[in-house]
Amino acid sequence: MGYLKSIGAGIIYIGVIFAILTFAPGYPPEAKFTEYTITTPKELEGNLGLNNRLNNAEIIMKGKLHGPEAFTSYKGKLYTGISGGYVVEIKENQEVSPIAKFGKECDGHWQENICGRPLGMRFDKNGQLFVADAYYGIFKLDVTSGKYEKIVDINTPIDSKIPKIINSLDVASNGDIYWTDSSTEFSLHDGVYTFLADPSGRLLRYNAKTKRNEILVENLGFGNGVILSDDESFVLVAETAISRVVKYNLKGPKAGKKELFIDGLPGMPDNIDSDGQGGFFITLAAYADSQNPQISQSLTPHPNIRKLLVRLLYSIEAPFKLVQTYYPNECIEKIIHSIGHFSSVNSLGSHNSVILRIDSNGKIIDVAYGTDGKVTGISSAFIHKDYLFIGSPFNDFVARIPLKEAFPSLASTSKAKNDKIILEETKKPPKKVTEEKVNVKTEKVRDGEKSQKQSKT
């Protein structure tokens, strides 16, 4: 009986502690916790059902880079951002060439708040690369010279709230930048908190003429991937925590209004990329269905449980932060970084990788799955030279697979379109040959000292 009394007393004490953590006013971190629900994940069947098209993905540059989150290309060259804060070019010989770093020098990825973390990136029509760094802001980068300028400062409040996670962006033909702030309450290294607290993400537009930001959509569930439609009549933004994509109309009778583009996705959407045919690739960072629910989504109707979990994590983290303040060391720093970081929960849940192909009306028209666990935690799917490049913030490699294997119908359509163009060109009468002046541009070569420094990096 004494043993049972001890157990009972222990349960009561734990219950009291949990109650204090949950309901004590002013206990950090400060965030909102209210009840809300999300749409049940779609069950994909038939032609959209499980397949293994991503199982044969080729692993390249293993160990040469870490966390290639998103890709973009210009004039046949492929670029990505990696842990450590660098924007890099991925060479044809599978080497990594650093282009720029917006953050400060650091010791490793556990200091990403110092290093910087380039996430979304897009080229404008003039070949200038715009990069969203989660900790430092939005930058315009000349990939030839490596020179850059800050366009959006993360420390400047927008409507009295400082953006905490600048995540993704796209650039319109007039130079306006559409971008996401995933949270106004927590930074990227505390990403798990954002999924337990109420949504606070935003879709914003940077006006290139006035150089001012305006909020288009508020209270997004971790606003993530952003992409403009080909005709720039609307912009899409992924809500990772709520498993849906929102459409914000820029032209037409619904201009200035938002609407659901697609809801109840079978997982958490990350980046959105073009499929090259007017549609979109939506990459699911985590898969979810009736057999594999996401814990954070299951808890949306239970605000007090979510608040308790957040405060527990903070309570675990607080003493390590105190030690680090007075006796800084790398081991403690790594522990602090791991608590609340997405990398600490990446191994939980299903290991299926999923890339959705969706048309301009929000209909799922094709799906590619990876079921062998070879490439997990994926964040982007980008077409480059007949390959589908697959990004991930967690992997130390780049994965790629021939487009014809991942999406056979899309590859066939692309080939038919190219064949038609070539056929039409061959039918045209030959043009009269005239003298032309040919300007030969030589590539600028960085001096040996800079190249050596980058190689060491």
Side-chain angles (χ1 to χ4, degrees):
M1 290 296 291
Y3 178 70
L4 292 176
K5 282 184 178 181
S6 298
I7 294 176
I11 293 174
I12 292 173
Y13 291 146
I14 292 172
V16 170
I17 293 171
F18 282 4
I20 293 172
L21 281 175
T22 304
F23 300 107
Y27 192 89
E30 285 295 329
K32 292 181 179 179
F33 298 90
T34 58
E35 180 180 344
Y36 69 96
T37 58
I38 66 171
T39 303
T40 303
K42 298 177 185 293
E43 296 289 342
L44 302 182
E45 301 174 341
N47 295 333
L48 304 179
L50 205 62
N51 57 54
N52 58 1
R53 292 193 214 148
L54 302 180
N55 282 7
N56 295 319
E58 178 186 5
I59 304 301
I60 60 175
M61 293 178 293
K62 175 74 174 175
K64 294 182 179 180
L65 76 180
H66 187 278
E69 163 82 13
F71 301 100
T72 191
S73 65
Y74 187 72
K75 291 187 176 181
K77 295 182 178 180
L78 186 65
Y79 301 85
T80 189
I82 59 174
S83 294
Y86 285 95
V87 174
V88 302
E89 178 188 347
I90 297 175
K91 298 283 192 178
E92 291 289 341
N93 62 357
Q94 298 187 19
E95 291 298 324
V96 178
S97 176
I99 303 297
K101 178 183 175 72
F102 311 122
K104 302 174 184 177
E105 292 301 319
C106 57
D107 295 330
H109 67 274
W110 58 90
Q111 291 184 336
E112 67 178 19
N113 60 314
I114 299 173
C115 311
R117 185 60 171 101
L119 299 176
M121 54 182 62
R122 288 275 200 276
F123 279 98
D124 69 1
K125 62 182 181 181
N126 299 316
Q128 295 294 302
L129 180 60
F130 289 79
V131 184
D133 188 293
Y135 293 96
Y136 286 94
I138 295 177
F139 297 82
K140 181 170 72 172
L141 169 65
D142 185 322
V143 295
T144 302
S145 66
K147 294 181 179 180
Y148 59 83
E149 65 174 296
K150 183 178 287 188
I151 303 298
V152 175
D153 188 345
I154 197 169
N155 296 312
T156 302
I158 302 171
D159 193 22
S160 74
K161 294 182 179 180
I162 294 176
K164 292 294 185 69
I165 306 176
I166 295 182
N167 197 319
S168 184
L169 57 77
D170 202 358
V171 186
S173 56
N174 67 353
D176 288 354
I177 304 171
Y178 294 84
W179 59 281
T180 47
D181 168 21
S182 298
S183 174
T184 58
E185 295 172 333
F186 302 102
S187 298
L188 185 61
H189 54 263
D190 285 329
V192 172
Y193 294 96
T194 66
F195 279 67
L196 294 171
D198 286 2
S200 66
R202 301 182 290 184
L203 171 67
L204 305 100
R205 173 169 54 201
Y206 172 82
N207 188 305
K209 290 184 178 180
T210 65
K211 301 186 185 304
R212 296 178 64 87
N213 288 288
E214 61 178 313
I215 300 169
L216 303 181
V217 184
E218 292 185 282
N219 300 321
L220 294 172
F222 200 87
N224 205 325
V226 177
I227 192 169
L228 286 157
S229 62
D230 286 351
D231 62 359
E232 299 188 3
S233 63
F234 63 86
V235 60
L236 300 180
V237 54
E239 291 190 82
T240 305
I242 305 180
S243 293
R244 69 183 185 185
V245 176
V246 170
K247 174 181 179 181
Y248 184 84
N249 295 286
L250 302 173
K251 299 177 182 178
K254 296 182 179 180
K257 296 181 179 179
K258 71 170 185 177
E259 58 184 299
L260 276 178
F261 184 68
I262 185 168
D263 199 6
L265 293 174
M268 296 180 166
D270 201 313
N271 285 307
I272 308 177
D273 294 282
S274 171
D275 71 351
Q277 300 292 323
F280 311 97
F281 289 132
I282 297 179
T283 309
L284 301 184
Y287 178 70
D289 58 18
S290 58
Q291 302 300 317
N292 301 279
Q294 289 297 319
I295 296 175
S296 62
Q297 294 181 344
S298 301
L299 295 176
T300 56
H302 309 289
N304 288 331
I305 295 178
R306 291 188 282 115
K307 182 190 290 187
L308 172 61
L309 290 174
V310 167
R311 290 184 170 184
L312 272 174
L313 284 173
Y314 181 84
S315 299
I316 294 171
E317 193 174 13
F320 290 103
K321 287 183 175 180
L322 183 63
V323 172
Q324 182 66 14
T325 300
Y326 295 100
Y327 305 99
N329 66 84
E330 186 176 298
C331 180
I332 295 296
E333 197 170 21
K334 287 181 178 180
I335 293 173
I336 294 171
H337 178 264
S338 66
I339 298 173
H341 196 272
F342 286 131
S343 59
S344 63
V345 297
N346 179 48
S347 60
L348 302 177
S350 171
H351 290 289
N352 287 344
S353 299
V354 185
I355 301 172
L356 308 173
R357 185 186 170 207
I358 298 181
D359 67 17
S360 58
N361 296 313
K363 179 183 178 182
I364 301 176
I365 54 178
D366 202 358
V367 187
Y369 298 85
T371 60
D372 58 358
K374 189 175 182 181
V375 182
T376 61
I378 62 176
S379 57
S380 58
F382 186 81
I383 299 175
H384 179 69
K385 295 186 177 180
D386 296 325
Y387 278 92
L388 191 66
F389 282 76
I390 303 172
S392 169
F394 310 111
N395 296 331
D396 65 344
F397 58 81
V398 170
R400 70 178 184 182
I401 190 166
L403 184 60
K404 63 183 180 181
E405 292 183 19
F407 291 94
S409 60
L410 180 59
S412 299
T413 304
S414 299
K415 185 177 185 304
K417 184 178 180 180
N418 291 335
D419 290 346
K420 182 179 179 182
I421 294 173
I422 294 172
L423 182 61
E424 289 175 351
E425 289 293 328
T426 58
K427 289 181 179 180
K428 291 180 180 180
K431 294 181 179 180
K432 184 179 179 180
V433 179
T434 58
E435 291 186 353
E436 296 180 350
K437 291 182 179 181
V438 180
N439 295 321
V440 179
K441 294 183 179 180
T442 59
E443 295 184 355
K444 294 181 180 180
V445 180
R446 297 186 177 94
D447 57 77
E449 183 179 351
K450 187 174 181 180
S451 299
Q452 184 179 3
K453 183 179 179 182
Q454 290 180 336
S455 298
K456 290 180 179 179
T457 305

